[in-house]
Amino acid sequence: MRIESVSLAVVHLPLVRPFETSFGTMSAREFVLIAVRDGGVTGWGECVADTDPFYSSETTTGAWHVLTKYLVPSVLGRPMTHPREIARLWPPVRGHQMAKAALEMATWDLYARLQRKPLCDVLGGERRPIASGVSIGIQPSPEALVDRVASELADGYQRVKIKIKPGWDVAPVRAIRARYPDLALMVDANAAYRLQDGPALARLDADKLMMIEQPLDYDDLVQHAKLQASLETAICLDESITGPKAAADALDLGACRIINIKPGRMGGFGPSLDVHALATARSVPLWHGGMLESGIGRAHNLHLSTLPGFTLPGDVAASRRYFVPDLIDPPIDVRKDGCIDVPAGAGIGVVPVDARLRAATRHSERFRA
Ligand code: OSB
Ligand code: MG
């Protein structure tokens, strides 16, 4: 395999509805889409960095800079036998996992397509329906939230995650529990609490949540360990798990009992496979997170979710919850049983619709070996 050209585009897609978290409200996604080519074959990748550096320090503009100045030139024209080798070609760029992941994951798609195999095969997974959950943003009232939960459950989803922040935690959880006592329910704070909020979070122990996701700051591993020791509810880390080293540290410290894998946050599929191996060896449950991806990133996520360590429902839901139309056609849909079928065919199994991609593109550039 030899990457002969790389095309980058900044793509703008409005969200079907705004998504509010403890760090702000998103009403559109503007991301870098990557196409890598070898001969007549194209691999696709989607960068999960957002326009604002709120979920993580990375941004769309920053990813464009790092990709065009450092990462793309380092891989163009370099022979490779496997996408795992791409990490060895990177110049010494610290961080920028999302920029690295987008190019790395496009290369995995290209590799799988060149082998005429589905991506899940080359990742070491086995095609199976993927159990799907939804992530529901902060709502204007507990009543509005319960209505949203009802409509998501009518679509079949197997678990519900709600976003929380100080002042929007116990009341919305109790409102859902009053109507759905047995629902598989969890909360995600996106780092909105401090260790001294422990007693407030311990009130949620009564609500039998599957987990509390990322209650404290991204670099608070030691504080998470202290908090976990004081809670019955399992802590799941998202923002903190920037790669295999952070995952090993978090597990050694007892900072979490569950890990959310997002390949974009960790630098791609290579580091994700390493975290998957580490977590399964230690019997730590995993699930696949989401970053409001278009159908391209969503398809990548579904293929990775086929690995055996992903034992809990993921944040990988139907396209129509995010974008209508999606960049891909047909869009990704959820079955009545709350599972999603992994797209068939070589690589990720989907490609952008030309006209939609052109209409959504704000800026693009092509680089050749
Ligand atoms: O914390 O998991 C998160 C979306 C954007 C940034 C961070 C997160 C999320 C979600 C939505 O929770 C997951 C999805 O539906 O794609
Ligand atoms: Mg999260």
Side-chain angles (χ1 to χ4, degrees):
M1 173 168 64
R2 184 178 162 274
I3 298 175
E4 293 165 355
S5 78
V6 179
S7 299
L8 300 182
V10 174
V11 173
H12 181 98
L13 290 179
L15 282 164
V16 164
R17 58 178 93 81
F19 185 67
E20 184 177 343
T21 70
S22 62
F23 60 76
T25 302
M26 299 158 82
S27 47
R29 286 277 298 124
E30 192 162 298
F31 56 91
V32 179
L33 192 74
I34 303 188
V36 294
R37 293 190 184 82
D38 181 3
V41 182
T42 304
W44 294 94
E46 173 171 343
C47 183
V48 300
D50 188 34
T51 46
D52 301 312
F54 299 161
Y55 165 83
S56 87
S57 62
E58 293 189 72
T59 60
T60 306
T61 310
W64 181 275
H65 168 69
V66 169
L67 279 160
T68 56
K69 179 151 187 197
Y70 302 99
L71 303 179
V72 169
S74 75
V75 304
L76 267 179
R78 305 288 295 271
M80 254 184 270
T81 55
H82 191 272
R84 277 274 198 177
E85 292 164 25
I86 202 169
R88 281 180 235 140
L89 298 179
W90 298 147
V93 170
R94 191 175 297 247
H96 294 284
Q97 280 90 340
M98 293 175 178
K100 290 172 180 167
L103 185 52
E104 195 251 24
M105 292 161 77
T107 306
W108 276 91
D109 181 33
L110 174 64
Y111 174 76
R113 289 183 197 260
L114 287 168
Q115 312 257 313
R116 298 193 174 81
K117 287 181 182 163
L119 177 63
C120 57
D121 277 21
V122 301
L123 287 171
E126 209 168 315
R127 180 178 268 104
R128 60 180 171 105
I130 302 304
S132 178
V134 287
S135 174
I136 302 180
I138 292 167
Q139 301 295 311
S141 67
E143 296 72 36
L145 174 64
V146 174
D147 288 348
R148 272 296 305 280
V149 171
S151 97
E152 302 289 8
L153 294 178
D155 286 340
Y157 290 107
Q158 297 190 7
R159 73 95 171 102
V160 168
K161 154 171 144 183
I162 67 162
K163 294 293 188 177
I164 61 166
K165 64 178 180 181
W168 177 263
D169 42 32
V170 176
V173 166
R174 300 267 153 96
I176 294 173
R177 271 286 175 251
R179 175 134 166 225
Y180 301 104
D182 302 318
L183 174 66
L185 179 64
M186 57 177 284
V187 296
D188 185 359
N190 287 111
Y193 293 85
R194 297 293 164 261
L195 184 56
Q196 56 267 31
D197 299 320
L201 292 170
R203 292 178 64 202
L204 294 170
D205 279 342
D207 299 289
K208 302 289 167 240
L209 300 176
M210 299 169 77
M211 68 195 88
I212 300 179
E213 185 179 346
Q214 196 71 40
L216 311 180
D217 219 346
Y218 73 97
D219 56 354
D220 277 351
L221 283 188
V222 171
Q223 288 90 331
H224 273 109
K226 290 181 182 162
L227 181 64
Q228 180 66 91
S230 74
L231 294 178
E232 270 172 44
T233 310
I235 289 177
C236 168
L237 290 178
D238 172 357
E239 283 89 329
S240 293
I241 308 299
T242 50
K245 275 198 261 182
D249 287 349
L251 296 177
D252 286 347
L253 282 166
C256 66
R257 295 189 198 137
I258 300 174
I259 290 176
N260 155 340
I261 287 189
K262 292 177 181 173
R265 191 192 62 224
M266 302 203 290
F269 284 138
S272 300
L273 294 175
D274 293 342
V275 172
H276 175 273
L278 182 90
T280 45
R282 300 196 193 190
S283 304
V284 173
L286 295 173
W287 55 279
H288 204 301
M291 290 292 287
L292 314 179
E293 288 92 344
S294 83
I296 297 296
R298 198 164 294 283
H300 279 278
N301 294 349
L302 286 166
H303 281 273
L304 183 61
S305 299
T306 63
L307 270 82
F310 291 92
T311 53
L312 296 168
D315 275 352
V316 188
S319 293
R320 77 178 113 91
R321 295 188 72 252
Y322 308 87
F323 310 105
V324 178
D326 200 333
L327 279 184
I328 61 165
D329 190 37
I332 285 164
D333 208 353
V334 64
R335 316 190 316 190
K336 293 257 180 301
D337 66 355
C339 287
I340 296 185
D341 289 318
V342 180
I348 58 174
V350 299
V351 292
V353 176
D354 258 345
R356 288 187 195 158
L357 177 54
R358 248 178 290 127
T361 296
R362 292 285 161 95
H363 176 66
S364 65
E365 248 173 272
R366 184 163 178 169
F367 304 84
R368 281 170 230 268

